Amino acid sequence: MPSRTFTWNEVSARRLERSGLAGKPMAQDPAGIAAALCGAHAQVLSAAELSLMLRTDQGTRTAVQDALWTDRSLVKTYGPRGTVHLLPAAELPMWTGALAAVPVGSSPFAPDVRLTPGQTEQVLAAIEDALADAELTVDELSEAVVAATGSWAGDLVMPAFQGKWPRWRQVMHRAGQYGALCFGPNRGRKVTYTSPRRALPGFRPADGPAALTALVRRYLYAYGPATPQDFATWIGAPSGWTARLFASLTGELEQVDFAGSSAWIQAGDTEAPAADPSGVRLLPYFDAYGIACRPRDLLFPGRAAQRALAGRQAGNFPVLLIDGTVAGVWHQRRSGRRMIQLTVEPLAPLTARQRRALDDRVQRVGEILQGTAELTIGTVSVGPHA
């Protein structure tokens, strides 16, 4: 039986607080913030920089760059769902141990494109060997993988944008999840890859079951109450396996009622802020809050879902967050070297208090991007082509 009942306001308030969106930073350093968020999506690195630094009251995007390439407290690699993330270097053993223990789902590729289990093992070993003492571009890495495995690995059969990628690249993300690969510093405009062991001597993935337990607890602390299906969607795992994982964590988790449905939290983690969720925030593309928080119907109510979700997928639009729910979208455009034109499209007229808070948020965006941001209030269009 559920031990406690949570309302949406209670859950929203505690998620905002734990995500650094309630006015008080949970950390000032990028690695500490990334830890609290369970990673920052970094397919677009500038969006990840905003995600992290908008949760502080000082510093610019260079703090994230320094954390990645100078003090190495952050690692850019493949994380949940096989997507590029910034993860705390200190937690990489947990992440790789947990992600390596997640069952691999069925391949989305045609049978004549897929790698066999044996070929997959060969490719992963070749990637690890090639990057052990090097920083390689994707073309250089491809040459090394093909040389170590065979011409089949280089067959241009994998659908990718407007062309074809070599066969081996369909498991490149798994090399990152297993701890054999991470991103290195760019070589000019070219991305490089290397081994995390070069920056983290002694690194090795943690034990799988223990790492999974730790990651479930971290996720539920940040984004719970949540269901096994919520976790499955977030991490990219089969739903049946995730249900069994939650069922195995007797004593670690606690069942509660959240908005009329059963969900889970860390055992004993039943507190919620006394005040209702409040504040005005700007969240960039693929911010962790919009990706991980569910149910989507409560975070993106009514017209917000029509405007800010793409086929029920969050993250494709930067969003305006007011009092814990999505209340509009926004976008930015550079003008010259320092001027940033930031247009916010609220779904409802802003109050004077909300406008003042938004002005502060816009100013902070400018600081992070090392420019001056000017605000324009736009009009939202909601419809099939919005």
Side-chain angles (χ1 to χ4, degrees), residues 11 146 370:
V11 170
V146 172
Q370 299 173 295

Side-chain angles (χ1 to χ4, degrees), residues 274-304:
D276 284 343
S278 64
V280 175
R281 291 284 172 171
L282 296 172
L283 304 184
Y285 287 107
F286 293 102
D287 187 87
Y289 193 84
I291 297 292
C293 290
R294 291 177 179 269
R296 288 266 166 85
D297 290 345
L298 297 178
L299 181 61
F300 295 82
R303 295 173 68 224

Side-chain angles (χ1 to χ4, degrees), residues 170-184:
Q170 62 192 273
V171 295
M172 187 174 183
H173 67 286
R174 287 167 62 182
Q177 291 177 323
Y178 293 2
L181 168 153
C182 67
F183 286 74

Side-chain angles (χ1 to χ4, degrees), residues 301-305 307-308 320 322 326-329 345-350 380-382:
R303 295 173 68 224
R307 183 61 183 92
L320 169 68
I322 296 180
V326 173
V329 297
E345 301 174 2
L347 287 162
L350 301 175
V380 166
S381 58
V382 176

Side-chain angles (χ1 to χ4, degrees), residues 2 4-6 225 227 255-264 295:
R4 189 200 192 286
T5 297
F6 282 93
T227 67
Q255 188 177 10
V256 298
D257 181 283
F258 170 35
S261 299
S262 293
W264 298 89

Side-chain angles (χ1 to χ4, degrees), residues 136-345:
L136 303 180
T137 66
V138 70
D139 291 336
E140 293 167 345
L141 180 56
S142 188
E143 291 177 5
V145 169
V146 172
T149 57
S151 60
W152 52 265
D155 292 342
L156 299 177
V157 295
M158 181 181 167
F161 302 106
Q162 297 179 354
K164 300 283 187 179
W165 281 346
R167 189 188 307 273
W168 72 269
R169 285 192 62 176
Q170 62 192 273
V171 295
M172 187 174 183
H173 67 286
R174 287 167 62 182
Q177 291 177 323
Y178 293 2
L181 168 153
C182 67
F183 286 74
N186 283 2
R187 188 191 303 166
R189 294 188 175 183
K190 292 186 176 182
V191 172
T192 71
Y193 303 91
T194 190
S195 168
R197 290 172 176 82
R198 299 184 70 224
L200 304 169
F203 161 76
R204 59 182 296 178
D207 171 71
L212 278 170
T213 298
L215 187 56
V216 169
R217 289 177 59 86
R218 292 290 189 88
Y219 167 81
L220 289 178
Y221 181 81
Y223 303 113
T227 67
Q229 181 60 59
D230 294 337
F231 182 76
T233 301
W234 173 77
I235 201 172
S239 57
W241 173 84
T242 308
R244 292 189 295 274
L245 172 64
F246 272 51
S248 72
L249 297 178
T250 304
E252 296 280 349
L253 310 183
E254 183 175 335
Q255 188 177 10
V256 298
D257 181 283
F258 170 35
S261 299
S262 293
W264 298 89
I265 57 172
Q266 285 191 49
D269 183 27
T270 58
E271 295 185 2
D276 284 343
S278 64
V280 175
R281 291 284 172 171
L282 296 172
L283 304 184
Y285 287 107
F286 293 102
D287 187 87
Y289 193 84
I291 297 292
C293 290
R294 291 177 179 269
R296 288 266 166 85
D297 290 345
L298 297 178
L299 181 61
F300 295 82
R303 295 173 68 224
Q306 294 176 267
R307 183 61 183 92
L309 294 179
R312 301 295 298 169
Q313 180 178 338
N316 289 290
F317 299 95
V319 298
L320 169 68
L321 199 69
I322 296 180
D323 299 341
T325 60
V326 173
V329 297
W330 63 280
H331 53 90
Q332 60 175 308
R333 180 173 59 86
R334 282 268 185 182
S335 177
R337 295 186 62 183
R338 289 190 54 83
M339 187 59 64
I340 303 162
Q341 188 64 50
L342 200 152
T343 302
V344 176
E345 301 174 2

Side-chain angles (χ1 to χ4, degrees), residues 60-61 332-343 359 361-376:
T60 71
R61 63 195 304 176
Q332 60 175 308
R333 180 173 59 86
R334 282 268 185 182
S335 177
R337 295 186 62 183
R338 289 190 54 83
M339 187 59 64
I340 303 162
Q341 188 64 50
L342 200 152
T343 302
D359 287 338
R361 295 295 92 211
V362 169
Q363 180 181 345
R364 181 71 185 121
V365 169
E367 291 172 355
I368 294 167
L369 298 180
Q370 299 173 295
T372 300
E374 290 189 351
L375 172 63
T376 299

